[in-house]
Amino acid sequence: MKTLIAYSTKTGNTEKVAISIGEGIENSHVKNIKEIKDVASLDYDFIIVGAWIDRGTANKEAFDFINKIKNKKIGFFFTLGAYPNSDHAKDCTKKIEELFTKNNNKVIGHYLCQGAIDPKLIEFMRKQFPAGHPHGPNPDRIKRWSDVSSHPNLEDLQGAKLKFKKLVEEING
Ligand SMILES: Cc1cc2nc3c(=O)[nH]c(=O)nc-3n(C[C@H](O)[C@H](O)[C@H](O)COP(=O)(O)O)c2cc1C
């Protein structure tokens, strides 16, 4: 089965997850792992798309790529700054899944984990929004910034690897 792992990354978190997924897919399956900008063809049996979350959905490069995929078997994964069990993470999952299903793709499975937020963005937020402002630093937000900074960790990477290894095995029967 020809499998493509196509991902977009700004600071490297999503790339780490993509690489781990690639390691889990057995050599016997023809596998390609590429940054989205290097994808020249969609002629694959199974396409795994990796995105990072930008303002509540897949980042633009991944978003545009997803919109080009039609009638395919799909897996997707993403990294985000919010907690993986948050309503925000659920909303992101739903939005991305809908992008695929509206073009008649079949989503076989997905995975998500946290990814450290670019320190430049944190710095910007701190400057832009003073304490007391709804987007400004407060104890919960500061804790989240700190919690997320160690992700994706080994557990996240192993989880992603196992998830897609199983999916590929299931598809192959
Ligand atoms: C401009 C920008 C916007 C972001 N928007 C969100 C968001 O809406 N929700 C969220 O949970 N994380 C958000 N994040 C956090 C990233 O999704 C997260 O850090 C991700 O792991 C980055 O992936 P990368 O290292 O592959 O670029 C944002 C990060 C940046 C830089």
Side-chain angles (χ1 to χ4, degrees), residues 59-102:
N59 66 290
K60 185 168 182 343
E61 187 184 49
F63 187 95
D64 291 347
F65 177 68
I66 292 169
N67 277 323
K68 289 187 203 148
I69 305 174
K70 299 192 167 69
N71 310 313
K72 292 284 182 184
K73 225 174 262 167
I74 295 294
F76 70 89
F77 64 97
F78 61 85
T79 66
L80 81 170
Y83 291 112
N85 56 359
S86 61
D87 286 346
H88 182 64
K90 288 190 189 97
D91 282 352
C92 296
T93 304
K94 191 162 171 272
K95 277 189 201 156
I96 297 174
E97 178 145 19
E98 282 169 3
L99 290 179
F100 285 112
T101 52
K102 78 175 167 53

Side-chain angles (χ1 to χ4, degrees), residues 9-14 52-56 79 81-82 88 115-116 121:
T9 193
K10 189 169 174 234
T11 60
N13 299 326
T14 314
W52 58 275
I53 297 301
D54 183 357
R55 286 157 292 167
T79 66
H88 182 64
L121 179 64

Side-chain angles (χ1 to χ4, degrees), residues 122-142 145:
I122 294 179
E123 195 51 38
F124 172 82
M125 299 277 285
R126 280 186 183 278
K127 280 199 181 128
Q128 193 80 357
F129 307 115
H133 187 282
H135 296 304
N138 60 35
D140 284 351
R141 187 164 284 129
I142 291 167
W145 287 340

